[in-house]
Amino acid sequence: MRFEADTEIAADAEQVWAVLVDVGRWPEWTGSVTQAERGEAGPLAVGATARLTQPKLRPALWRVTELTERREFVWVSAAPGVRTTGEHRLLSLPDGRTRVELAIDQSGPLAGLIGRLYGGLLRRYLRMEADGLRRRCERG
């Protein structure tokens, strides 16, 4: 099961990246996350972890598996029967704006069931994250 959301932000990729990778501050700009705690100090990097608490979902531990500075990071959270991959991609546009592409991809024996039960919620949360990121980056 795959869920996606995207938006364009009137800010350069460096500015958007700085907000996006400051995971501990996500609750300030998206209602889809009520608590975010980094497992380690320092910049987000491959192997880094974060524990996210989201309304109506169990807290989840995410581990960064891929990271290209100012372009993308991918992280994974595992629970019995399902592996969830979160993708965060930035594309610099010619006019100085940034396109943000977010996705959640679920795999494993329970992925179909969880997708049917929580698909609407996951779509809403991705949309909230995209819109909140845009608002945070575009405010003066």
Side-chain angles (χ1 to χ4, degrees):
M1 303 291 295
R2 185 172 175 86
F3 308 97
E4 301 175 335
D6 59 63
T7 192
E8 291 186 8
I9 299 175
D12 64 31
E14 188 168 338
Q15 179 185 348
V16 176
W17 181 257
V19 173
L20 185 62
V21 298
D22 191 359
V23 175
R25 296 184 74 176
W26 283 17
E28 295 176 12
W29 53 262
T30 180
S32 66
V33 177
T34 55
Q35 189 173 13
E37 300 169 325
R38 284 284 312 278
E40 309 79 21
L44 199 64
V46 171
T49 60
R51 183 176 177 84
L52 298 186
T53 303
Q54 298 182 271
K56 301 180 184 179
L57 297 175
R58 291 179 178 239
L61 181 68
W62 294 85
R63 182 174 306 279
V64 176
T65 58
E66 299 174 41
L67 186 141
T68 303
E69 195 70 28
R70 290 185 301 280
R71 290 219 356 239
E72 73 175 327
F73 80 88
V74 177
W75 59 10
V76 173
S77 179
V82 66
R83 175 184 165 102
T84 304
T85 302
E87 302 170 5
H88 310 77
R89 290 195 171 83
L90 306 183
L91 175 63
S92 295
L93 300 175
D95 61 0
R97 297 168 54 87
T98 303
R99 178 177 175 79
V100 176
E101 299 172 345
L102 306 173
I104 291 287
D105 191 16
Q106 295 184 311
S107 59
L110 297 180
L113 175 62
I114 291 172
R116 284 189 294 282
L117 293 174
Y118 292 97
L121 182 67
L122 295 174
R123 283 185 195 90
R124 278 195 307 280
Y125 284 178
L126 282 172
R127 183 80 263 145
M128 290 169 73
E129 185 179 327
D131 292 345
L133 181 61
R134 180 178 37 76
R135 282 191 300 273
R136 172 56 65 100
C137 293
E138 289 181 350
R139 74 177 193 197

